[in-house]
Amino acid sequence: MKYLAAYLLLNAGGKTSPSAADIKKLLGSVGAQADDERISSLISALEKKDIETLIAEGKEKMSSVPTGGAVAAAGGAAASSDAAAVEEAVESEKEESDDDMGFGLFD
């Protein structure tokens, strides 16, 4: 994945067909290790292909994948009720801490 990300970043930066050296240099600049075999495999797979067309085709394929949006919406509602419960717990702890009036059990 990091090799593809580096390739796409270089492409977005203006290099229409980044070389293996370009990808190694970019990965090296962030301290990532580069595998020559994977880089050459990626470059040969993307050779003579338009990146924008590939991205558009990928978006079209991903649009047919169910994402489970209804579950996420339900989870969001539960999270907001959990946040209210946490706030109540914090407030009740503050109130309870005033009960000792500054005296400890073993004072």
Side-chain angles (χ1 to χ4, degrees):
M1 190 63 130
K2 65 183 173 183
Y3 304 107
L4 179 59
Y7 187 94
L8 292 173
L9 185 62
L10 289 165
N11 186 276
K15 292 193 177 273
T16 55
S17 58
S19 67
D22 294 331
I23 294 172
K24 284 183 191 177
K25 183 178 178 182
L26 178 64
L27 291 174
S29 71
V30 295
Q33 298 293 325
D35 182 9
D36 293 334
E37 186 177 316
R38 288 187 178 195
I39 293 172
S40 63
S41 173
L42 174 72
I43 290 174
S44 65
L46 295 176
E47 191 175 35
K48 298 181 182 177
K49 293 186 179 176
D50 182 40
I51 297 299
E52 291 181 19
T53 304
L54 291 174
I55 291 173
E57 289 173 0
K59 283 182 180 179
E60 186 177 321
K61 288 180 182 179
M62 292 298 292
S63 67
S64 65
V65 176
T67 58
V71 174
S80 65
S81 66
D82 288 343
V86 168
E87 286 181 29
E88 287 180 25
V90 169
E91 287 179 17
S92 67
E93 286 178 17
K94 287 180 184 177
E95 291 172 6
E96 289 175 9
S97 67
D98 291 339
D99 291 340
D100 67 358
M101 301 282 211
F103 300 105
L105 182 62
F106 299 106
D107 284 342

